[in-house]
């Protein structure tokens, strides 16, 4: 007796399912670096334009909201920020904020997120919006890598 299967029989009229072709290793590195430097660019380079717009828009929105709440952008070159009791927290925030890529040093150079003259009530919320935006972009880099590797559609 032949075993039965619940799967439908193959239809010769339907085209075969396309398999994902992995991208070469140098291109994987380039795509991941692009995803870090400019949020959304990695997905755009892989042809996932909908994801690129959604992810880039989400991360940039979080950055803008963080700056509107007077959040602080940390710098690896300012010793006053990295000394004292908040040393570990400052470094963790810096690592998180570095995830927003080239936007972080550009905003800092333009003077956004560096002034301590007026701390709004939303200061900490804004700072953590900036940190979470960077951490979200790190997760996006893993997604780009998986797509480039051919492990994810």
């Amino acid at each position: 007796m032949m075993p039965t299967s619940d799967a439908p029989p193959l239809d010769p009229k339907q085209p075969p399912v396309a398999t994902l072709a992995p991208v070469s290793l140098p291109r994987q590195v380039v795509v991941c670096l692009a995803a870090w430097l400019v949020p959304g660019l990695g997905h755009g380079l892989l042809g996932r334009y909908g994801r690129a717009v959604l992810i880039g828009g989400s991360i940039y929105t979080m950055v803008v909201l963080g700056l509107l709440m007077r959040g602080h952008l940390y710098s690896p070159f300012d010793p006053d920020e990295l000394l004292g009791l908040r040393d570990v927290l400052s470094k963790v925030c810096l690592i998180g904020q570095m995830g927003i890529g080239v936007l972080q040093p550009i905003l800092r150079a333009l003077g956004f997120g560096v002034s301590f003259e007026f701390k709004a009530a939303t200061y900490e919320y804004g700072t953590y919006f900036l940190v979470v935006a960077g951490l979200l972009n790190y997760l996006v880099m893993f997604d780009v890598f998986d797509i480039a590797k051919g492990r994810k559609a």
Side-chain angles (χ1 to χ4, degrees):
M1 182 172 198
M2 296 275 298
T4 59
S5 172
D6 292 335
L10 293 176
D11 187 5
K13 296 177 187 174
Q14 289 187 358
V17 177
T19 58
L20 298 172
V23 179
S24 65
L25 182 63
R27 183 166 157 106
Q28 289 173 2
V29 172
V30 168
V31 170
C32 288
L33 283 174
W36 171 59
L37 289 174
V38 180
L41 182 60
H43 283 93
L45 291 175
L46 292 173
R48 308 294 200 282
Y49 303 114
R51 281 188 191 182
V53 170
L54 181 68
I55 288 169
S58 299
I59 291 173
Y60 292 130
T61 300
M62 289 184 72
V63 169
V64 168
L65 289 173
L67 292 175
L68 288 175
M69 288 187 256
R70 297 199 179 266
H72 180 66
L73 286 167
Y74 288 93
S75 170
F77 306 112
D78 193 353
D80 294 336
E81 292 178 357
L82 301 176
L83 297 175
L85 296 175
R86 298 181 53 178
D87 186 32
V88 174
L89 182 61
S90 297
K91 289 179 182 175
V92 169
C93 289
L94 172 66
I95 291 169
Q97 287 180 355
M98 292 301 286
I100 62 175
V102 73
L103 192 60
Q104 200 260 1
I106 290 173
L107 288 172
R108 212 170 142 75
L110 292 174
F112 290 102
V114 294
S115 176
F116 283 113
E117 295 170 7
F118 172 70
K119 282 191 179 180
T122 58
Y123 164 81
E124 288 186 13
Y125 292 114
T127 300
Y128 292 120
F129 259 71
L130 295 167
V131 172
V132 170
L135 294 174
L136 178 62
N137 199 34
Y138 288 138
L139 291 175
V140 168
M141 288 172 52
F142 287 120
D143 186 52
V144 166
F145 180 74
D146 283 342
I147 292 171
K149 191 83 169 159
R151 294 188 282 198
K152 186 175 180 182

